[in-house]
Amino acid sequence: MVMFDFFKSLFRKEGSSATAKERLRLVLLSDHLSLAPHVVEALKSDLLAVLSRYVEIDAALADVTFEQREHEVAMLASVPILRLRDEAALALPDASLPEMDSPASPEAVPAGAVETTAEPVAKPAPSEPERSGANGSSSRRRRRRKAAKKGQVLALAAASSGPPAQGLPLASHP
Amino acid sequence: MALQELREVQPEPLVPPIARAAGRAIVITSGKGGVGKTTTTANVGAALAARGKDVVLVDADVGLRNLDIVLGLENRVRYHLLDVLEKKVELETALIRDKRNERLHLLAAAQSREKEDVDTDAMRALIDRLRAQFEFVLIDCPAGIEMGFKNAIAGAQHAIVVCTPEVAAVRDADRVVGLLPADWRPELIINRLRPALVNKGKMLSVEDVDAILRLPLLGVIADEPAVIVSTNRGEPLALDPSSKTGAAYRAIAARLAGEDVPLPVPRPEPRLLAKLGALFSRSAGGRA
């Protein structure tokens, strides 16, 4: 196996420049969002916390990625949904939101710079249907978008990993 | 109504200062240090002067005077930028004429002063004055994004961003572009490219850097030993007619002068076997 890796590294076309490119992509991403890495982590965990209030998710398989586009940075979250929660268990949106003084909220987007634009919602990453399995038969995606400063788009795509066994049916979302 | 009357009374300025300042002031910047701003400034300046343009190079790296060394003019520095800004000497007295081309001039940086000593408004006024006198004012910006950077860009209307194909350099270039005035459209010079490494996938390519920074590409300069040799001698490589890298600098100068020349992109040197093959075929051809 070690031998195989050795030969693979010998004949691989992609050298360390691919690593450089990926590191550069990630570092510029957080530069552009003006978010420190720990803030990005906090954002991620808050995001999952909010989601799990409505649906049971597999946090271990949750994947939050960023993508550089022509004029903005998009955040794509792929979160496997295990099942939906009962209606009775659903909390009202303003009842138990995470505290607003969490580190992600104030620095992330300056209040004065927030603006909502009428751009179409960002498409989910092409790899998502494969990841959601079963040809994405009953996978439905909820997308939420926050337009941030300078056209940076936060798009959220949550994909379920299989047919919802019980509980509420997923509402088809535009 | 009263405003209109006031306008009619206002006399026209006799000589509008902007109209007189016809030259272009271009700042050469990078954020990161050691990527080749000074070498680029010297070579592009020398190439522009060789094209018959009146050029002045301003070393804005106060405290770390280097541009005179790269140009081989270190023995001629008597006065410097701060002497002029603080009105200790006349501008004409402080300007150093290049020994090879009388169209090329240098305003050296102060060596024993600090960047904070520069008055931003005085710097802006000086660059305006130089623009009235020269077609090209190239400002060699210090590394960093602090006061030295702010003073260097103060009088400029255009920027050239120098970047090497490295993660840190590209990141800093991206940061610096964000700090330049929003209506500027900075142009990019990729410096120290090693085509053989790019081919092996061991270095970021021109396309990689281009895709990330998304700036108009002004030129690509190879990492060539001749650049070091020319710096050792204080003779800009741009003046060497046989050098490919010199030709790349001359192409940058041509593009700055408004000429539509193709952008030369460095290619890897042929391997030893190919070189021998070429030599053999050439000598065989010679005999025939």
Side-chain angles (χ1 to χ4, degrees):
Chain A
M1 198 58 201
V2 175
M3 205 61 173
F4 177 71
D5 282 346
F6 173 71
F7 279 114
K8 211 169 70 178
S9 73
L10 261 188
F11 294 110
R12 195 173 45 179
K13 175 75 186 165
E14 274 188 350
S16 55
S17 76
T19 316
K21 227 189 303 185
E22 181 60 14
R23 290 178 62 211
L24 194 51
R25 194 179 70 82
L26 292 174
V27 84
L28 286 181
L29 193 82
S30 68
D31 286 1
H32 289 177
L33 286 173
S34 1
L35 289 179
H38 73 274
V39 180
V40 174
E41 275 309 309
L43 181 146
K44 212 191 275 188
S45 67
D46 278 0
L47 197 67
L48 297 183
V50 168
L51 280 176
S52 59
R53 282 178 43 231
Y54 296 90
V55 286
E56 262 179 58
I57 59 166
D58 190 343
L61 289 179
D63 185 26
V64 179
T65 55
F66 293 91
E67 190 180 287
Q68 174 77 57
R69 304 200 173 164
E70 188 71 36
H71 295 297
E72 80 264 326
V73 174
M75 188 194 79
L76 300 167
S78 168
V79 185
I81 296 173
L82 299 175
R83 65 167 63 88
L84 296 156
R85 293 198 191 283
D86 285 347
E87 197 163 7
L90 279 178
L92 285 172
D94 54 351
S96 59
L97 271 176
E99 308 78 56
M100 289 310 284
D101 57 351
S102 68
S105 42
E107 292 117 279
V109 177
V114 176
E115 54 170 67
T116 313
T117 59
E119 288 170 27
V121 171
K123 282 181 190 155
S127 59
E128 265 178 20
E130 295 114 69
R131 215 181 286 140
S132 62
N135 301 322
S137 53
S138 63
S139 78
R140 296 195 172 92
R141 298 176 191 97
R142 281 190 70 201
R143 290 177 217 138
R144 189 178 297 167
R145 183 175 150 272
K146 289 176 191 169
K149 61 168 183 175
K150 286 182 188 168
Q152 286 172 355
V153 174
L154 293 178
L156 171 69
S160 101
S161 59
Q166 59 217 68
L168 284 172
L170 275 168
S172 63
H173 198 273
Chain B
M1 202 56 156
L3 200 74
Q4 218 161 18
E5 281 165 25
L6 204 75
R7 273 193 197 131
E8 281 162 18
V9 175
Q10 282 280 325
E12 288 282 312
L14 288 176
V15 185
I18 301 300
R20 282 181 59 206
R24 290 175 79 195
I26 305 171
V27 63
I28 287 100
T29 185
S30 68
K32 191 177 177 304
V35 297
K37 283 179 296 295
T38 303
T39 311
T40 304
T41 308
N43 277 286
V44 173
L48 279 168
R51 295 181 65 85
K53 303 286 180 192
D54 289 315
V55 182
V56 62
L57 311 180
V58 180
D59 191 347
D61 200 348
V62 174
L64 296 166
R65 182 199 294 162
N66 282 151
L67 190 52
D68 53 332
I69 304 275
V70 179
L71 289 163
L73 297 174
E74 66 273 20
N75 294 331
R76 301 190 179 196
V77 178
R78 294 282 173 274
Y79 304 102
H80 51 68
L81 177 66
L82 272 165
D83 289 333
V84 178
L85 290 179
E86 291 166 356
K87 300 200 188 321
K88 288 178 188 160
V89 295
E90 282 300 309
L91 171 62
E92 284 67 30
T93 318
L95 284 178
I96 303 157
R97 189 168 288 179
D98 183 61
K99 51 191 175 189
R100 293 153 293 237
N101 188 330
E102 60 171 18
R103 291 182 181 277
L104 183 62
H105 298 76
L106 169 69
L107 184 54
Q111 176 68 359
S112 53
R113 297 286 298 271
E114 286 170 20
K115 294 177 172 63
E116 287 71 25
D117 295 342
V118 175
D119 179 79
T120 309
D121 290 333
M123 182 73 175
R124 194 177 290 121
L126 171 70
I127 299 298
D128 274 351
R129 213 178 134 194
L130 288 170
R131 282 174 59 210
Q133 209 174 324
F134 295 93
E135 289 169 273
F136 285 92
V137 182
L138 303 188
I139 306 153
D140 185 15
C141 182
I145 51 175
E146 297 82 18
M147 212 52 224
F149 166 77
K150 283 167 190 153
N151 288 329
I153 69 166
Q157 312 98 44
H158 188 65
I160 295 174
V161 174
V162 181
C163 179
T164 56
E166 293 162 292
V167 178
V170 177
R171 183 196 202 177
D172 289 4
D174 177 79
R175 176 101 171 92
V176 136
V177 169
L179 293 172
L180 294 171
D183 56 332
W184 288 15
R185 185 96 172 100
E187 290 179 278
L188 177 68
I189 293 180
I190 298 177
N191 200 20
R192 299 227 190 94
L193 187 87
R194 298 177 67 170
L197 281 191
V198 173
N199 274 12
K200 286 181 195 156
K202 290 181 178 175
M203 183 179 248
L204 292 172
S205 67
V206 171
E207 292 75 24
D208 292 339
V209 179
D210 215 24
I212 287 163
L213 292 178
R214 296 168 200 275
L215 299 176
L217 190 59
L218 185 62
V220 181
I221 304 294
D223 189 19
E224 204 205 338
V227 180
I228 298 170
V229 174
S230 76
T231 310
N232 290 344
R233 293 186 176 143
E235 290 165 3
L237 194 58
L239 303 176
D240 180 351
S242 66
S243 163
K244 267 187 196 172
T245 303
Y249 282 123
R250 291 193 291 276
I252 290 172
R255 289 158 78 95
L256 280 178
E259 211 177 292
D260 188 20
V261 299
L263 186 111
V265 174
R267 298 188 189 289
E269 286 290 309
R271 292 213 202 138
L272 186 64
L273 272 178
K275 266 187 198 167
L276 283 174
L279 198 71
F280 179 75
S281 63
R282 204 188 306 158
S283 58
R287 269 184 220 130

